[in-house]
Amino acid sequence: NKGIMKSCVIISLLIYTIISVHGYQYDVIVYGGTAAGVISAIAAWIEGGVSVAIIEPGENIGGMVSGGLGHTDVGDASVIGGYALSFFEKVGQVYNSPHPVFNFEPHVAEDVFKKWLAETNVTVIYGERVMSAVLGPDGRAESITTFSGDIFKASVFIDASYEGDLLPLMNVTYTWGREGQKIYNESAAGRLQEPYSFGGHQFKNAIDISNHRLFL
């Protein structure tokens, strides 16, 4: 009977779906295994003593830093500190240098990130891309579901993806680009043109306002 066979197939698929779906619970979940994501996870584990997981949609860790952007625009190296400095010092150790190393090979950066994570109890989950999110009555994120059907719950979610994958799913307001001067009444907002700029620069003193390479 075709009707019975069809019902059996549907039931089998439902059972398979229920069995194959997994649920995971952490204190902090970092979405995106970028350099910022790795450092956020490590900092949460070290300073907060909480359970942490990184969910990386791809198969590599470190984002742009380990993906080919190995020439760091340093400027004044004396202002670099914290976990960023620790990363460059660890890179220096790989190259047998007593000093931080700011220019490195991509595989070295990824190895440093992986070994650093191995020193913690941070869980790294590869190949999971977010599909949806569940918000509580107060608007706080309670869980995310990936395209595999797995559900990840946490008290805190950190969006460390480059495109802000979690923001629209969690109703977080966001903007991009440079705001105009009238929005926040900022005379130096936007992009100043001659003769109103300082020799082509935005500020009188040499301040780099968009050096993203070091921080990503």
Side-chain angles (χ1 to χ4, degrees):
N1 189 299
K2 292 183 178 180
I4 295 176
M5 290 181 62
K6 185 177 181 180
S7 298
C8 290
V9 171
I10 293 174
I11 292 173
S12 298
L13 289 174
L14 288 173
I15 293 174
Y16 173 78
T17 301
I18 293 172
I19 294 175
S20 60
V21 171
H22 298 92
Y24 302 90
Q25 176 80 49
Y26 298 94
D27 294 315
V28 177
I29 287 180
V30 179
Y31 185 79
T34 59
V38 173
I39 297 302
S40 297
I42 291 173
W45 185 83
I46 291 177
E47 300 178 26
V50 294
S51 60
V52 186
I54 297 175
I55 299 177
E56 164 53 39
E59 299 298 330
N60 297 93
I61 209 79
M64 294 170 63
V65 175
S66 62
L69 191 59
H71 180 80
T72 308
D73 293 334
V74 180
D76 184 359
S78 66
V79 304
I80 300 175
Y83 290 100
L85 180 59
S86 296
F87 168 76
F88 293 122
E89 289 175 339
K90 290 177 182 294
V91 171
Q93 293 171 9
V94 176
Y95 289 108
N96 296 316
S97 170
H99 308 290
V101 170
F102 301 103
N103 299 322
F104 43 82
E105 299 160 278
H107 72 91
V108 170
E110 185 167 19
D111 287 344
V112 167
F113 283 131
K114 286 183 174 180
K115 290 179 181 177
W116 203 353
L117 286 168
E119 297 172 1
T120 71
N121 285 331
V122 174
T123 301
V124 182
I125 303 167
Y126 295 97
E128 292 280 3
R129 187 172 295 278
V130 66
M131 179 178 65
S132 61
V134 173
L135 307 182
D138 59 354
R140 293 177 61 89
E142 294 183 346
S143 68
I144 60 173
T145 301
T146 60
F147 277 93
S148 69
D150 289 348
I151 299 172
F152 298 87
K153 297 181 178 181
S155 300
V156 175
F157 287 89
I158 298 176
D159 189 342
S161 65
Y162 285 127
E163 290 80 24
D165 294 349
L166 298 187
L167 300 183
L169 299 177
M170 297 181 174
N171 296 332
V172 177
T173 57
Y174 58 93
T175 186
W176 61 90
R178 297 185 179 185
E179 298 91 351
Q181 297 176 357
K182 294 182 179 180
I183 295 180
Y184 299 109
N185 194 29
E186 296 175 326
S187 61
R191 184 175 180 84
L192 300 181
Q193 302 294 331
E194 295 288 1
Y196 304 104
S197 64
F198 300 93
H201 296 287
Q202 194 80 354
F203 302 105
K204 184 176 182 179
N205 296 321
I207 300 175
D208 194 339
I209 62 171
S210 57
N211 188 351
H212 61 276
R213 294 187 180 184
L214 179 62
F215 300 106
L216 288 180

